[in-house]
């Protein structure tokens, strides 16, 4: 994980840095789930297009 490579992520020196680390974790989770949802929707779109083509 990133905190193994970056000690700043494991032990932030200030509250502002800790907030930024928490925001980064939420952002990466949002991007991961967004990509998964887009992939599922793309498969559904391909199936629908293929069935009516």
């Amino acid at each position: 994980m990133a905190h193994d490579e970056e000690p700043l992520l494991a032990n932030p020196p200030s509250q502002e840095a800790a907030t930024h680390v928490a925001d980064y974790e939420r952002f990466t989770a949002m991007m991961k789930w967004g990509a998964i949802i887009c992939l599922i929707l793309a498969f559904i779109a391909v199936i629908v297009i293929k069935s009516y083509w």
Side-chain angles (χ1 to χ4, degrees), residues 17-36:
T19 302
H20 175 71
V21 168
D23 287 343
Y24 179 75
E25 291 172 356
R26 286 193 299 257
F27 174 76
T28 54
M30 178 187 69
M31 292 299 286
K32 177 184 77 173
W33 286 109
I36 291 170

Side-chain angles (χ1 to χ4, degrees), residues 29-53:
M30 178 187 69
M31 292 299 286
K32 177 184 77 173
W33 286 109
I36 291 170
I37 290 170
C38 286
L39 182 66
I40 292 169
L41 290 175
F43 278 127
I44 292 171
V46 167
I47 290 169
V48 168
I49 290 170
K50 190 170 179 83
S51 69
Y52 288 109
W53 192 263

Side-chain angles (χ1 to χ4, degrees), residues 3-23:
H3 58 76
D4 295 333
E5 299 171 8
E6 293 288 335
L8 179 65
L9 296 176
N11 189 12
S14 67
Q15 181 61 33
E16 183 177 314
T19 302
H20 175 71
V21 168
D23 287 343

